Amino acid sequence: MKYAVDRIEGELVVLENIESGEVVHVNIKEINADIHEGSILKYSKSHGYTVDVKTENSRREDFRSRLERLKNLKKWDEF
């Protein structure tokens, strides 16, 4: 399963399953990596939570692309 870090509240990390939208609360001690809001984590019983940099970078690029398309649409609406 893959999760996006929604927010970090002290010792609590709020994760959102990127497929189902399910929200999970995890103690930060269960995550053995440097994380930030927007980090993508993979979970497996054998390895626990690990950072998935490839998926994170891909999602960021997709969001940037969508934002640029929206900006371009707004420019055309002004004419």
Side-chain angles (χ1 to χ4, degrees):
M1 287 188 233
K2 293 187 181 183
Y3 296 90
V5 175
D6 181 55
R7 62 188 178 278
I8 302 170
E9 299 174 339
E11 296 292 311
L12 187 66
V13 181
V14 180
L15 304 175
E16 181 179 347
N17 184 309
I18 62 175
E19 293 176 6
S20 69
E22 173 190 14
V23 175
V24 179
H25 298 85
V26 177
N27 188 301
I28 199 163
K29 293 176 185 174
E30 293 183 46
I31 303 171
N32 295 322
D34 289 330
I35 59 169
H36 52 84
E37 291 178 359
S39 291
I40 302 297
L41 304 175
K42 289 189 287 188
Y43 177 78
S44 70
K45 288 183 181 181
S46 58
H47 294 100
Y49 292 97
T50 56
V51 176
D52 184 347
V53 176
K54 183 178 177 182
T55 301
E56 181 178 338
N57 290 339
S58 175
R59 285 172 53 96
R60 286 187 188 278
E61 184 56 37
D62 182 50
F63 292 148
R64 278 189 200 104
S65 176
R66 289 179 188 200
L67 182 59
E68 286 303 313
R69 283 191 301 239
L70 287 172
K71 287 179 182 178
N72 288 333
L73 286 174
K74 185 173 182 177
K75 287 179 186 176
W76 285 104
D77 287 343
E78 293 173 359
F79 287 105

